[in-house]
Amino acid sequence: MAEGKPVTIYGHVATIRRKGKIAFILLRTFEGEEQVTIKKGLVPEELWSLVEELGREYFIKVQGRLVESKIARLGREIIPESIEVVSPSPPPPIDLYGKVEAEWPTRLKYRYLDIRRPKVKAIFKVRSTLMKAAREFLYKEGFVELNFPIIIATATEGGAELFPVQYFDRQAFLAQSGQLYKQSAVAAFGKVFSIAPSFRAEKSRTRKHLTEFWQIDVEAALVEPKDLMDLQFRLVNYIVEKIIEENEKELELLGVKLEPWQSYQVITYEEALEILRRKGFNIEWGEDFGADEERALVKEFEEPFFIPEFPKDITAFYYMVNRSNPKMAHRIDFMGPGEYGVEWSSGGLREHDPERLTQRIMEAGMRPESFSWYLDMFKYGFPPHGGFGMGVERLLQTLLKLEKIHEAALYPRTPDILEP
Ligand code: AMO
């Protein structure tokens, strides 16, 4: 048996099929799959009897020859010369290769096995490309990557949603975003970003909420709303192009066809209200969109779209109020379109006048003293600036058409899920 390329391959036994004197092992390697074909009589007797002992999820080492095959599904097969059990496995509690997928709670319970499934692996390979592409794009655009604290002293995105942490004899919190810190850094670096986890103690049990998620947090000096919209649109399209380039196999496995978008749309808050009212929602001027409203709205669009201003009272304190229309603030939401669309990011222009900021903090029912360093920094020649925070899992959810955001997190955290 001199034919074929000699190979040594490690992998998990995905499936074993035996047909009389021939056995096929589908081996799941770290990179993909290989078929091992064993013919009784053509391999040493002890190898044939070892095959009888193997079970699913055994981690094995196969040495043999890789030969091309017209009949094998993969177009090639491995004819083994030896097989070694590196690490055995009891029968796995979920069928990783079954035609019918296990229910989500069972998948979650055994998530460490679930993530071995090729379809689940595909999601995270795409996520890996997304992260790499986001970084690559922002570096190319001249942004400096920084890391902001995760243990913080004050709320940035609303007081009720903080996870408290015992910090020696003080109370601290897990960061809801890098908001205050990225703003501080913009005065030094001009263009900054951070990709970091964010924590929200929201009891939201929806298809788009996690209590721990990742944000691509971006901030730049001297930007106009149009710059922020263009930048985000190009960022998303860059990510899409990279995924198409690097994840052809994964997209095929997931049954997803991706294409960069030709353009984006911009609709006013009022136009969004009109669309919703036409669809039967009873929503007043001044209200924010809830999960149902958002879902109905994004379904109306085939291209990503921005809503570039919101009523001041539904924006966080750091958004700049529109000087010529003070009922509105420069909060810019970026919405992913279609059936799997969600809000991808929030951002906008920031208030850098310390007095106006103090006023906004008080209006939000918070104490300016809690923000003293933040308020002080704006006294020292602070450049006008703006930015956005884009949710990694949300973007992935739309791109990969995931029913719920939980599937975009390796180990999702929700009010009900803390383990594994
Ligand atoms: P915001 O709170 O809108 O804004 O968050 C920014 C983006 O993060 C994602 N996101 C979430 N993803 C999953 N689960 C959640 N619970 C969740 N909450 C938010 C969304 C959202 O658009 N500091 C501002 C950003 C800025 O102005 O720069 C902020 O955090 O994709």
Side-chain angles (χ1 to χ4, degrees):
M1 200 186 294
E3 239 185 286
K5 194 176 117 202
V7 286
T8 301
I9 291 185
Y10 289 86
H12 288 100
V13 174
T15 58
I16 309 181
R17 278 187 303 128
R18 292 185 193 85
K19 270 199 206 157
K21 293 190 172 160
I22 184 161
F24 303 97
I25 299 174
L26 180 66
L27 197 65
R28 190 181 61 252
T29 62
F30 296 127
E31 296 78 23
E33 290 175 341
E34 294 296 343
Q35 179 182 298
V36 185
T37 307
I38 307 122
K39 291 185 183 133
K40 192 171 191 296
L42 287 185
V43 292
E45 195 47 42
E46 68 270 16
L47 203 158
W48 181 257
S49 28
L50 177 81
V51 171
E52 295 283 312
E53 287 166 28
L54 294 179
R56 290 184 175 202
E57 293 313 303
Y58 270 56
F59 188 68
I60 61 174
K61 175 182 179 183
V62 181
Q63 285 182 301
R65 306 223 157 230
L66 185 69
V67 294
E68 287 183 17
S69 157
K70 287 209 177 71
I71 46 170
R73 183 170 60 85
L74 303 168
R76 58 175 193 269
E77 59 190 348
I78 296 171
I79 311 297
E81 281 151 21
S82 76
I83 293 180
E84 186 188 318
V85 174
V86 180
S87 187
S89 169
I94 54 172
D95 186 355
L96 304 187
Y97 286 81
K99 287 210 172 64
V100 186
E101 216 169 63
E103 296 287 326
W104 179 243
T106 313
R107 286 180 52 198
L108 265 184
K109 181 173 174 194
Y110 300 106
R111 187 66 166 164
Y112 51 86
L113 290 175
D114 189 51
I115 60 173
R116 296 182 184 182
R117 289 172 48 218
K119 271 195 175 174
V120 180
K121 273 173 74 176
I123 294 174
F124 292 98
K125 284 198 156 177
V126 173
R127 181 176 163 136
S128 167
T129 307
L130 184 160
M131 298 297 248
K132 184 173 73 164
R135 277 207 168 85
E136 228 169 61
F137 174 84
L138 291 165
Y139 277 109
K140 281 189 190 174
E141 293 288 319
F143 283 80
V144 178
E145 182 170 9
L146 299 171
N147 306 107
F148 307 124
I150 297 292
I151 304 176
I152 55 166
T154 44
T156 55
E157 315 296 338
E161 303 161 1
L162 286 158
F163 280 115
V165 175
Q166 190 61 41
Y167 193 70
F168 305 107
D169 56 354
R170 295 174 60 186
Q171 167 117 302
F173 305 99
L174 294 180
Q176 294 169 311
S177 72
Q179 185 64 37
L180 311 188
Y181 296 96
K182 68 173 178 172
Q183 286 188 254
S184 79
V186 98
F189 299 93
K191 286 174 155 192
V192 301
F193 81 99
S194 155
I195 302 186
S198 302
F199 304 89
R200 307 276 169 99
E202 291 169 300
K203 288 226 170 89
S204 307
R205 293 175 171 84
T206 73
R207 67 175 192 129
K208 58 162 217 168
H209 281 96
L210 293 166
T211 50
E212 178 180 321
F213 62 94
W214 283 68
Q215 252 190 89
I216 305 169
D217 224 349
V218 177
E219 202 71 15
L222 308 172
V223 284
E224 298 296 334
K226 173 89 167 54
D227 303 324
L228 289 173
M229 293 193 271
D230 286 348
L231 184 72
Q232 294 190 70
F233 180 68
R234 290 195 298 115
L235 166 64
V236 168
N237 261 354
Y238 187 86
I239 290 171
V240 168
E241 280 161 16
K242 286 288 160 187
I243 293 173
I244 293 170
E245 220 175 279
E246 295 186 17
N247 296 110
E248 197 187 330
K249 252 181 17 201
E250 285 77 20
L251 291 177
E252 198 190 312
L253 192 60
L254 294 166
V256 171
K257 229 180 133 357
L258 270 184
E259 253 177 89
W261 280 281
Q262 295 295 316
S263 54
Y264 64 79
Q265 294 183 43
V266 182
I267 62 160
T268 62
Y269 170 79
E270 283 79 10
E271 282 167 339
L273 287 187
E274 251 168 60
I275 294 174
L276 289 171
R277 285 179 190 143
R278 246 190 289 125
K279 300 194 87 182
F281 286 90
N282 189 5
I283 182 165
E284 297 288 324
W285 192 95
E287 287 180 55
D288 213 342
F289 311 128
D292 293 341
E293 282 94 352
E294 186 186 296
R295 187 154 202 190
L297 186 63
V298 294
K299 273 190 191 166
E300 295 292 293
F301 289 80
E302 288 179 4
E303 286 184 325
F305 61 103
F306 290 93
I307 306 173
E309 281 189 15
F310 281 81
K312 183 193 79 166
D313 293 338
I314 53 168
T315 65
F317 64 86
Y318 46 77
Y319 288 111
M320 182 185 268
V321 172
N322 184 340
R323 301 287 195 257
S324 48
N325 180 10
K327 284 197 322 206
M328 302 297 275
H330 293 288
R331 167 180 140 196
I332 306 171
D333 279 9
F334 190 20
M335 315 292 286
E339 180 67 31
Y340 298 88
V342 271
E343 176 204 295
W344 286 341
S345 83
S346 267
L349 301 186
R350 319 302 187 183
E351 184 55 74
H352 61 276
D353 175 294
E355 273 165 37
R356 286 172 186 264
L357 253 179
T358 307
Q359 190 61 34
R360 289 275 274 152
I361 288 174
M362 289 194 302
E363 281 170 17
M366 295 189 279
R367 297 178 327 126
E369 305 85 77
S370 309
F371 294 87
S372 58
W373 71 264
Y374 175 72
L375 288 168
D376 279 349
M377 79 181 179
F378 292 105
K379 294 178 192 158
Y380 301 98
F382 216 92
H385 61 287
F388 60 87
M390 192 176 283
V392 168
E393 293 82 3
R394 293 260 182 104
L395 182 59
L396 197 63
Q397 180 179 12
T398 309
L399 298 184
L400 296 187
K401 302 189 184 336
L402 305 175
E403 221 23 82
K404 46 188 177 308
I405 195 169
H406 311 85
E407 295 185 65
L410 201 64
Y411 287 93
R413 289 290 172 259
T414 72
D416 310 307
I417 308 168
L418 190 55
E419 271 183 319

